[in-house]
Each structure stands twice: as C-alpha cells, then as structure tokens.
Amino acid sequence: MSAVHTVSNIGGPRLTLGFDRFDRLDLDRHLAVHGRLRVPSLDDLVRMAEQVDMRGRGGAGFPFARKLTAVASRVNHPTADQTLLLPGEKGSGRGSSEDVVVVVNGAEGEPGSAKDKVLLGRAPHLVLDGAQIVATALGTQRIVLAVESDEAARSVRAAIGERRMPARVVRLTERFISGESGAVIRAINGETPIPPGVKVRAAESGVDGYPTLLSNTETFAQLAVLVSLGPDLYASAGTDDEPGTTLLTVGGTTVVEAPYGTPLRDVLKHCDVPPGPGVLVGGYHGTWLDPAGAARAVLSRAGMRAVGGTVGAGIVLPLAQGTCPLGEVTRIASYLAAQSAGQCGPCRLGLPDVVRALNALSEGGGTVEDVRRAAAIGRGRGACTHPDGTARFVLSAVEAFTADIDAHRYGGTCGLSTFGVLPLPVPTGREERVAIDWSRCDGHGLCAYLVPELIQLDRYGFPVVLGSDIPSWMERDVQKAVAMCPALALRVVGGVPGGPVRRS
C-alpha cells in the first residue's frame, strides 16, 4: 500500500480500478477486478498498440509499437495467440527468442513523482500482466523489474511469488538520473548506474548484451488495460488522436488517473490545488507555465505543446503563493547540478554556471541574458539528456516569472522568502558542501583551479563557492583540493540538501 499518496480518478478508473475497495490487489483480487487476459500474437499486439497510438509514459513518449517491432526484428517470435499462464500451468512451447529481455523500468528518482510507486505498490499484477503479455508475444520468459523503493520491491516480489513466474527484481539507486534507460540497463548488468555517455539502443544490445524491450511501469499497465478492453473500448476515453487515460502526480502527493483531453485547470480543481504564480508540467526536466498558459493547457501532447508545455512523466507541480519563485527555481537548479553523472562538460561546468547565473540574478547583480547564455552552452552536446532537461526547466522559468525576476533585478529581492515548497529528496544526513574559513583564506586561488565546478574566483581573486551539495563524482577532487589548500582554509561541511543558494 502507498499510504502517503492520495489516489483518485477523473471520468472513471482503469489503471486504478479497485483502488476504492482494496489497499493492494493481490492475485485473487486482481483477477476479480481485471479478469484473466489472453495474450495476442506479436503481430496483433503491434496492431493494437498502433491503433491507439500507445506511447511510453516515462517522459519521452516513444511509440510502443515501434519499440516492440525493433526488438522483434532482432529475433524469431511466436505467431499464434496464447493464453496468459497462471500458477501451476504449462505452456505449449516458446519461440527461439528466449534470450530477449523485457524490463519494467520502475525507477522514479525524480522528486514529485509517485505514480509508478503507487502502481507497483497497489496494482503489481496489472504491471506484471503487461510485462508477461510482451514477453510471451516475443517468445521469452526473461522479465526484469527495476525498482527503487523498499515498498515497491516487497510488493513486486510478493506478486511474482503468487504467480510463480520466473521474473527478477533489481534494486536501483534512488537518484534523479537513475531512471534514464541506459542507467537502468547498466544497473541491471551490475555496472555503475549512470547513463552510458553514448547512445546504445536497448533493442540491439541491452541486458547482458541481448535485445531488450524497456519501458516504464505505467506503460506496461496501460498495455494490459488495452489488451483487456480492446482498442475500440480503450479509445472510448481520451481524444481521437490520443486515446486512453494517464496517471499524473499532482503537487507531489496526489496521484490522479485522467483521460487525455482533460483541461489542466480541471485536474487542479479536482485536487483542490490552486495554480499559484506558475505550474511546472513534466517535472524538473519539464517546463513552467504562467497562470494564463496553465488556464489554457489541455492534458495531451498536442494540448500541452500549444502552450509551450509537456506531459512528460505526468508530474504537475503548482507553485504555492507566498514563496519566492526565483528562489525556488534556483534551489531546484542547484539540486539538478549536483545530480549529474559528471561525464561531460555541459554537466560538469555548464550546470554550475547556470546556478551561478541564477544566484546573481536573485541578488540583483545578474541578467536574464546571463542565465540564457549559461543554459545554452552545451545544449544538445551532453552525454545524456540531463543538461538539456535542466536548461529547459530554467529557460521556461525566466519566461514564466518575469515580474518576480524584475523585482530581484531592481531591488535585489522580491521581498519573499524561499520556503522550499517544491519537493526534493528527504535528507540522508550524509550530504556535504564546500566551505571557506575566511580567517585563513589568503586568495591563493588553487581551489578554483582544482574544482572549478564548485569554486570560481571573484574579481579580487577570492573564491566564490557554489552552494550546492558535492556530487558523488567530485568527492575525490574535493578531498584533494582540501588537502592542497596552502592556507588550510578549504573545508567540507554538512550541507542542507536543496537549501538556499548563497555566495559564501
């Protein structure tokens, strides 16, 4: 059970069917609510996915039929309809594609997202139905579920035990970039769980080097609903171009199932959440909408695109009144800078520069153009999508919060405190930051040379420290800089994750 998240629906439940009666659907409850499915052949499954334009619900929105076809093209596969097997039953044989791997990406490292945790915790058999449908159609039994939380792992393992299916559960590190497909594959393969730095198609070489179909948790649950209802009934909700429903996490605490085509204002009203001075859609790699844009936005790819937004991974974060918008944006940008894998220049140097530009803007000494320039450096040239997503978040903010930014530029402050209302991970107590003992510092400047990502020199030659947590990939460099400081002025101190970012 996902006790801390409220779950509701608009227009009737599909993925959340039975949630009003049960905290968690075990196998018996699942069969009573959703019934037992027949597995279509691969060709029929592809046709059904194409008919409703099934898209991945993990953020990228990639057509599922194309992903399925890409994996199938690498192997032979069964052609006849099959029955989804339950405990104690035996199949009539498989194709020659037993090395293919189906991966359920249950990573939800982004703060503010809970929909996949809710599905894994409360409807694990619906997710397993979708994974087994795909695996059977492809002729394999190799299913891996990659999850982050203890609760999700316990729920999924219990469901696998009830079905007596040969699936494997892999625990992932709870980190912002852990859900990137390449990072998930690396984690399953026992490697460092970060994006690989080069584009590798999982359909060609994924888990153990075999063709792999990887999609996020909700996508597999949606696929099970599609097979259960059939394309025509599935398309009775949503729009003509984008049939079906989707899950949203609103305000970090409420999970809502809503049909595509629902106005965003109706979603916010349903959750009793005002839009405030702006609404972030798509999460921390998404975009900010000002109140006028939020009022016009419609829950669909086309509807969001019309106002400059995105559905993304279904994260909707209205900004509460009374907190400093620019301070909140700077706080999240600092967190994102510390979450990078540190594999490329756009992340190592570009993201800290974005934070510095935001800090300067907050203090009235910088300009919007400085922020735009910092965010534009390296866009499209990163080792993964993290620098581009962060730049999208920041650039949309400077468009949505123009009045607040003007107040900072002309007065050095907007008069509001930064209360930290946008969700960030719960502190672990192990977070650390760089600090300067000013009674010792003599402006030698060696620290800025050794760790330019965290320290730069002002015009007088004294260090200016970026107020973000030390990324894991920088720990060794920071310790070296501390040891080499001639004045013994450089320190590592306990930090407050996501706290205000100020010059030291």
Side-chain angles (χ1 to χ4, degrees), residues 37-96:
L37 304 184
R38 288 188 59 81
V39 182
S41 68
L42 178 62
D43 291 341
D44 285 343
L45 189 59
V46 170
R47 176 186 56 78
M48 294 170 70
E50 288 178 335
Q51 187 172 335
V52 301
D53 192 21
M54 175 73 72
R55 298 293 184 109
R57 299 301 207 273
F62 193 82
F64 188 81
R66 284 173 55 188
K67 187 177 292 189
L68 191 58
T69 302
V71 175
S73 68
R74 310 288 298 182
V75 294
N76 297 319
H77 56 83
T79 57
D81 283 9
Q82 301 183 42
T83 301
L84 187 60
L85 302 182
L86 292 177
E89 299 178 335
K90 295 183 179 180
S92 58
R94 297 182 292 150
S96 59

Coordinates of all heavy atoms in Angstrom, one line a residue, residues 37-96:
L37 N -6.4 -12.4 -18.8 CA -6.2 -12.0 -20.1 C -5.7 -13.1 -21.1 O -5.0 -14.0 -20.7 CB -5.1 -10.9 -20.1 CG -5.4 -9.6 -19.3 CD1 -4.3 -8.6 -19.5 CD2 -6.8 -9.0 -19.6
R38 N -6.1 -13.0 -22.3 CA -5.4 -13.7 -23.4 C -4.4 -12.9 -24.0 O -4.5 -11.7 -24.2 CB -6.5 -14.2 -24.4 CG -7.4 -15.2 -24.0 CD -8.3 -15.7 -25.1 NE -7.5 -16.3 -26.2 CZ -7.0 -17.6 -26.2 NH1 -7.1 -18.3 -25.1 NH2 -6.3 -18.0 -27.2
V39 N -3.3 -13.5 -24.4 CA -2.1 -12.8 -25.0 C -2.2 -12.8 -26.5 O -2.3 -13.9 -27.1 CB -0.8 -13.4 -24.5 CG1 0.4 -12.6 -25.1 CG2 -0.7 -13.5 -23.0
P40 N -2.3 -11.7 -27.1 CA -2.4 -11.7 -28.6 C -1.0 -12.0 -29.2 O 0.0 -12.0 -28.5 CB -2.7 -10.2 -28.9 CG -2.3 -9.4 -27.7 CD -2.4 -10.3 -26.5
S41 N -1.1 -12.4 -30.4 CA 0.2 -12.7 -31.1 C 1.0 -11.4 -31.2 O 0.4 -10.3 -31.0 CB -0.1 -13.2 -32.5 OG -0.7 -12.3 -33.3
L42 N 2.2 -11.5 -31.5 CA 3.0 -10.3 -31.7 C 2.5 -9.3 -32.7 O 2.4 -8.1 -32.5 CB 4.5 -10.7 -32.0 CG 5.4 -9.5 -32.2 CD1 5.6 -8.7 -30.9 CD2 6.8 -10.0 -32.7
D43 N 2.1 -9.9 -33.9 CA 1.5 -9.0 -34.9 C 0.2 -8.3 -34.4 O 0.1 -7.1 -34.7 CB 1.2 -9.8 -36.2 CG 2.5 -10.3 -36.9 OD1 3.5 -9.8 -36.6 OD2 2.4 -11.3 -37.6
D44 N -0.6 -9.0 -33.7 CA -1.8 -8.4 -33.2 C -1.5 -7.4 -32.1 O -2.2 -6.3 -32.1 CB -2.8 -9.5 -32.7 CG -3.5 -10.3 -33.8 OD1 -3.5 -9.8 -34.9 OD2 -4.0 -11.3 -33.5
L45 N -0.5 -7.7 -31.3 CA -0.2 -6.7 -30.3 C 0.4 -5.4 -30.9 O 0.0 -4.3 -30.4 CB 0.9 -7.4 -29.3 CG 1.2 -6.6 -28.1 CD1 0.0 -6.4 -27.2 CD2 2.3 -7.3 -27.3
V46 N 1.2 -5.6 -31.9 CA 1.7 -4.4 -32.6 C 0.5 -3.6 -33.2 O 0.5 -2.4 -33.1 CB 2.7 -4.8 -33.7 CG1 3.1 -3.6 -34.5 CG2 4.0 -5.3 -33.0
R47 N -0.4 -4.3 -33.8 CA -1.5 -3.6 -34.5 C -2.4 -2.9 -33.4 O -2.8 -1.7 -33.7 CB -2.4 -4.7 -35.2 CG -3.7 -4.1 -35.8 CD -4.5 -5.2 -36.4 NE -4.9 -6.2 -35.4 CZ -5.8 -6.0 -34.4 NH1 -6.5 -4.9 -34.4 NH2 -6.1 -7.0 -33.6
M48 N -2.6 -3.5 -32.3 CA -3.4 -2.9 -31.3 C -2.7 -1.6 -30.7 O -3.4 -0.6 -30.5 CB -3.7 -3.8 -30.1 CG -4.5 -5.0 -30.5 SD -4.6 -6.3 -29.2 CE -5.5 -5.5 -27.9
A49 N -1.4 -1.7 -30.5 CA -0.7 -0.5 -30.0 C -0.7 0.6 -31.0 O -0.7 1.8 -30.7 CB 0.7 -1.0 -29.6
E50 N -0.6 0.2 -32.3 CA -0.6 1.2 -33.4 C -2.0 1.9 -33.5 O -2.1 3.1 -33.7 CB -0.2 0.6 -34.7 CG 1.3 0.3 -34.8 CD 1.6 -0.4 -36.1 OE1 0.7 -1.0 -36.7 OE2 2.8 -0.3 -36.5
Q51 N -3.0 1.1 -33.3 CA -4.4 1.6 -33.5 C -4.7 2.7 -32.5 O -5.4 3.6 -32.8 CB -5.4 0.4 -33.3 CG -6.8 0.8 -33.7 CD -7.8 -0.3 -33.7 OE1 -7.3 -1.5 -34.0 NE2 -9.0 -0.1 -33.5
V52 N -4.2 2.6 -31.2 CA -4.5 3.6 -30.2 C -3.3 4.5 -30.0 O -3.3 5.3 -29.1 CB -4.9 2.9 -28.9 CG1 -6.1 2.1 -29.1 CG2 -3.7 2.1 -28.3
D53 N -2.3 4.4 -30.9 CA -1.0 5.2 -30.8 C -0.5 5.1 -29.3 O -0.2 6.2 -28.7 CB -1.3 6.6 -31.2 CG 0.0 7.4 -31.4 OD1 1.1 6.8 -31.6 OD2 -0.1 8.7 -31.3
M54 N -0.3 3.9 -28.8 CA 0.2 3.7 -27.5 C 1.6 4.3 -27.4 O 2.5 4.0 -28.2 CB 0.3 2.2 -27.1 CG 0.9 1.9 -25.8 SD -0.1 2.4 -24.4 CE -1.4 1.1 -24.5
R55 N 1.8 5.2 -26.4 CA 3.1 5.9 -26.2 C 3.6 5.5 -24.8 O 2.8 5.3 -23.9 CB 2.9 7.4 -26.3 CG 2.5 7.9 -27.6 CD 3.5 7.7 -28.7 NE 3.1 8.2 -30.0 CZ 3.7 9.3 -30.5 NH1 4.7 9.9 -29.9 NH2 3.3 9.8 -31.7
G56 N 4.9 5.5 -24.7 CA 5.5 5.3 -23.4 C 5.1 6.4 -22.4 O 5.0 7.6 -22.8
R57 N 4.9 6.0 -21.2 CA 4.5 7.0 -20.2 C 5.7 7.5 -19.3 O 5.4 8.0 -18.2 CB 3.4 6.4 -19.3 CG 2.1 6.0 -20.0 CD 1.5 7.2 -20.8 NE 0.1 7.0 -20.9 CZ -0.5 6.4 -21.9 NH1 0.2 5.9 -22.9 NH2 -1.8 6.3 -22.0
G58 N 6.9 7.2 -19.7 CA 8.0 7.6 -18.9 C 8.6 9.0 -19.1 O 9.4 9.4 -18.4
G59 N 8.0 9.7 -20.1 CA 8.5 11.0 -20.3 C 8.8 11.3 -21.8 O 8.5 12.3 -22.3
A60 N 9.5 10.4 -22.5 CA 9.9 10.6 -23.9 C 8.7 10.4 -24.8 O 8.7 11.0 -25.9 CB 11.0 9.6 -24.3
G61 N 7.7 9.6 -24.4 CA 6.5 9.4 -25.3 C 6.8 8.7 -26.6 O 6.2 8.9 -27.6
F62 N 7.7 7.7 -26.5 CA 8.1 7.0 -27.7 C 7.0 6.0 -28.1 O 6.5 5.3 -27.2 CB 9.4 6.2 -27.5 CG 10.1 5.7 -28.7 CD1 10.8 6.5 -29.5 CD2 9.9 4.4 -29.1 CE1 11.4 6.0 -30.7 CE2 10.5 3.9 -30.3 CZ 11.2 4.7 -31.1
P63 N 6.7 5.8 -29.4 CA 5.6 4.9 -29.8 C 6.0 3.5 -29.4 O 7.0 2.9 -29.8 CB 5.6 5.0 -31.3 CG 6.1 6.4 -31.6 CD 7.2 6.6 -30.5
F64 N 5.1 2.8 -28.6 CA 5.4 1.5 -28.1 C 5.5 0.5 -29.2 O 6.3 -0.5 -29.2 CB 4.3 1.1 -27.1 CG 4.7 -0.2 -26.4 CD1 5.5 -0.2 -25.3 CD2 4.1 -1.4 -26.8 CE1 5.9 -1.4 -24.6 CE2 4.5 -2.6 -26.1 CZ 5.3 -2.6 -25.0
A65 N 4.6 0.6 -30.2 CA 4.6 -0.4 -31.3 C 6.0 -0.4 -32.1 O 6.5 -1.5 -32.4 CB 3.5 -0.1 -32.3
R66 N 6.6 0.8 -32.2 CA 7.9 0.8 -32.9 C 9.0 0.2 -32.0 O 9.9 -0.5 -32.5 CB 8.3 2.3 -33.1 CG 7.6 2.9 -34.3 CD 7.8 4.4 -34.4 NE 9.2 4.7 -34.5 CZ 9.7 6.0 -34.4 NH1 8.9 7.0 -34.3 NH2 11.0 6.2 -34.5
K67 N 8.9 0.4 -30.7 CA 9.8 -0.3 -29.8 C 9.7 -1.8 -29.8 O 10.7 -2.5 -29.9 CB 9.6 0.3 -28.4 CG 10.6 -0.2 -27.4 CD 10.4 0.4 -26.0 CE 10.6 1.9 -26.0 NZ 10.6 2.5 -24.6
L68 N 8.5 -2.2 -29.8 CA 8.2 -3.7 -29.9 C 8.7 -4.3 -31.2 O 9.3 -5.4 -31.2 CB 6.7 -3.9 -29.7 CG 6.2 -5.3 -29.5 CD1 6.8 -5.9 -28.3 CD2 4.6 -5.3 -29.4
T69 N 8.4 -3.6 -32.3 CA 8.9 -4.1 -33.6 C 10.4 -4.1 -33.7 O 11.0 -5.0 -34.3 CB 8.3 -3.2 -34.7 OG1 6.9 -3.2 -34.6 CG2 8.7 -3.7 -36.1
A70 N 11.0 -3.1 -33.1 CA 12.5 -3.1 -33.2 C 13.1 -4.3 -32.5 O 14.1 -4.8 -33.0 CB 13.0 -1.8 -32.5
V71 N 12.6 -4.7 -31.3 CA 13.1 -5.8 -30.6 C 12.8 -7.1 -31.4 O 13.6 -8.0 -31.6 CB 12.5 -5.9 -29.2 CG1 12.9 -7.2 -28.5 CG2 12.9 -4.7 -28.4
A72 N 11.5 -7.2 -31.9 CA 11.1 -8.4 -32.6 C 11.9 -8.6 -33.9 O 12.2 -9.8 -34.3 CB 9.6 -8.3 -33.0
S73 N 12.4 -7.5 -34.5 CA 13.2 -7.7 -35.7 C 14.5 -8.3 -35.5 O 15.1 -8.8 -36.4 CB 13.4 -6.3 -36.4 OG 14.2 -5.5 -35.6
R74 N 14.9 -8.4 -34.2 CA 16.2 -9.0 -33.9 C 16.1 -10.5 -33.7 O 17.2 -11.2 -33.6 CB 16.8 -8.3 -32.6 CG 16.8 -6.8 -32.6 CD 17.8 -6.3 -33.6 NE 19.2 -6.6 -33.2 CZ 20.3 -6.2 -33.9 NH1 20.1 -5.4 -34.9 NH2 21.4 -6.6 -33.5
V75 N 14.9 -11.0 -33.5 CA 14.7 -12.4 -33.2 C 13.5 -13.0 -33.9 O 12.7 -12.3 -34.5 CB 14.5 -12.5 -31.6 CG1 15.7 -12.1 -30.9 CG2 13.3 -11.7 -31.2
N76 N 13.4 -14.3 -33.8 CA 12.2 -15.0 -34.2 C 11.2 -14.9 -33.0 O 11.6 -14.8 -31.9 CB 12.5 -16.5 -34.5 CG 13.4 -16.6 -35.7 OD1 13.3 -15.9 -36.7 ND2 14.4 -17.6 -35.6
H77 N 10.0 -15.0 -33.4 CA 8.9 -14.9 -32.3 C 7.7 -15.7 -32.6 O 7.5 -16.1 -33.8 CB 8.5 -13.4 -32.2 CG 8.0 -12.8 -33.5 ND1 6.8 -13.0 -33.9 CD2 8.7 -12.1 -34.4 CE1 6.6 -12.4 -35.1 NE2 7.8 -11.8 -35.4
P78 N 6.9 -16.1 -31.6 CA 5.7 -16.8 -31.8 C 4.7 -16.0 -32.7 O 4.7 -14.8 -32.7 CB 5.1 -17.1 -30.4 CG 6.3 -16.8 -29.5 CD 7.1 -15.8 -30.2
T79 N 3.8 -16.7 -33.4 CA 2.8 -16.0 -34.2 C 1.4 -16.3 -33.8 O 0.5 -15.5 -34.1 CB 3.0 -16.4 -35.7 OG1 2.8 -17.9 -35.8 CG2 4.3 -16.0 -36.2
A80 N 1.1 -17.3 -33.0 CA -0.2 -17.6 -32.6 C -0.6 -17.0 -31.3 O 0.2 -16.7 -30.5 CB -0.4 -19.2 -32.5
D81 N -1.9 -16.7 -31.1 CA -2.4 -16.2 -29.9 C -2.1 -17.2 -28.8 O -2.2 -18.4 -29.0 CB -3.9 -16.0 -29.9 CG -4.3 -14.7 -30.7 OD1 -3.3 -14.1 -31.3 OD2 -5.4 -14.3 -30.7
Q82 N -1.8 -16.7 -27.6 CA -1.5 -17.6 -26.5 C -2.3 -17.2 -25.3 O -2.9 -16.1 -25.2 CB 0.0 -17.6 -26.1 CG 0.8 -18.0 -27.3 CD 2.3 -18.1 -26.9 OE1 2.6 -18.5 -25.8 NE2 3.1 -17.6 -27.8
T83 N -2.4 -18.0 -24.3 CA -3.1 -17.7 -23.0 C -2.1 -17.3 -22.0 O -1.1 -18.0 -21.8 CB -3.9 -18.9 -22.6 OG1 -4.9 -19.2 -23.6 CG2 -4.7 -18.6 -21.3
L84 N -2.4 -16.2 -21.2 CA -1.5 -15.8 -20.2 C -1.5 -16.9 -19.1 O -2.6 -17.2 -18.5 CB -2.0 -14.5 -19.6 CG -1.1 -13.8 -18.5 CD1 0.3 -13.5 -19.1 CD2 -1.7 -12.6 -18.0
L85 N -0.4 -17.5 -18.8 CA -0.3 -18.6 -17.9 C -0.3 -18.1 -16.4 O 0.2 -17.1 -16.1 CB 1.0 -19.4 -18.1 CG 1.1 -19.9 -19.5 CD1 2.4 -20.7 -19.6 CD2 0.0 -20.8 -19.9
L86 N -1.0 -18.9 -15.6 CA -1.1 -18.6 -14.2 C -0.4 -19.7 -13.4 O 0.0 -20.7 -14.0 CB -2.6 -18.5 -13.8 CG -3.2 -17.2 -14.3 CD1 -4.7 -17.2 -14.0 CD2 -2.5 -15.9 -13.9
P87 N -0.3 -19.6 -12.1 CA 0.4 -20.6 -11.3 C 0.0 -22.1 -11.6 O -1.1 -22.4 -11.7 CB 0.1 -20.2 -9.9 CG -0.2 -18.8 -9.9 CD -0.8 -18.6 -11.2
G88 N 1.0 -22.9 -11.8 CA 0.8 -24.3 -11.9 C 0.5 -24.8 -13.4 O 0.4 -26.0 -13.7
E89 N 0.4 -23.8 -14.3 CA 0.1 -24.1 -15.7 C 1.4 -24.2 -16.5 O 2.4 -23.5 -16.2 CB -0.9 -23.1 -16.3 CG -2.2 -23.1 -15.5 CD -3.1 -22.1 -16.1 OE1 -2.7 -21.1 -16.7 OE2 -4.4 -22.2 -15.9
K90 N 1.3 -24.9 -17.6 CA 2.5 -25.0 -18.5 C 2.1 -24.6 -19.9 O 1.0 -24.8 -20.4 CB 3.0 -26.5 -18.6 CG 3.5 -27.0 -17.2 CD 4.1 -28.4 -17.4 CE 4.7 -28.9 -16.0 NZ 5.2 -30.3 -16.1
G91 N 3.0 -24.0 -20.6 CA 2.8 -23.5 -21.9 C 3.0 -24.6 -22.9 O 3.5 -25.7 -22.6
S92 N 2.7 -24.3 -24.2 CA 2.9 -25.2 -25.2 C 4.2 -25.1 -26.0 O 4.4 -25.6 -27.1 CB 1.7 -25.1 -26.2 OG 1.6 -23.8 -26.7
G93 N 5.1 -24.3 -25.4 CA 6.4 -24.1 -26.1 C 6.6 -22.6 -26.4 O 5.7 -21.8 -26.4
R94 N 7.9 -22.2 -26.7 CA 8.2 -20.9 -26.9 C 9.0 -20.8 -28.3 O 9.4 -21.8 -28.8 CB 9.1 -20.3 -25.8 CG 8.4 -20.2 -24.5 CD 9.3 -19.6 -23.4 NE 10.5 -20.5 -23.2 CZ 11.7 -20.1 -22.8 NH1 11.9 -18.8 -22.7 NH2 12.6 -20.9 -22.5
G95 N 9.1 -19.6 -28.8 CA 9.9 -19.4 -29.9 C 11.4 -19.5 -29.6 O 11.8 -19.9 -28.5
S96 N 12.2 -19.1 -30.6 CA 13.7 -19.2 -30.4 C 14.3 -18.0 -29.8 O 15.5 -17.7 -30.0 CB 14.3 -19.6 -31.7 OG 14.1 -18.6 -32.7

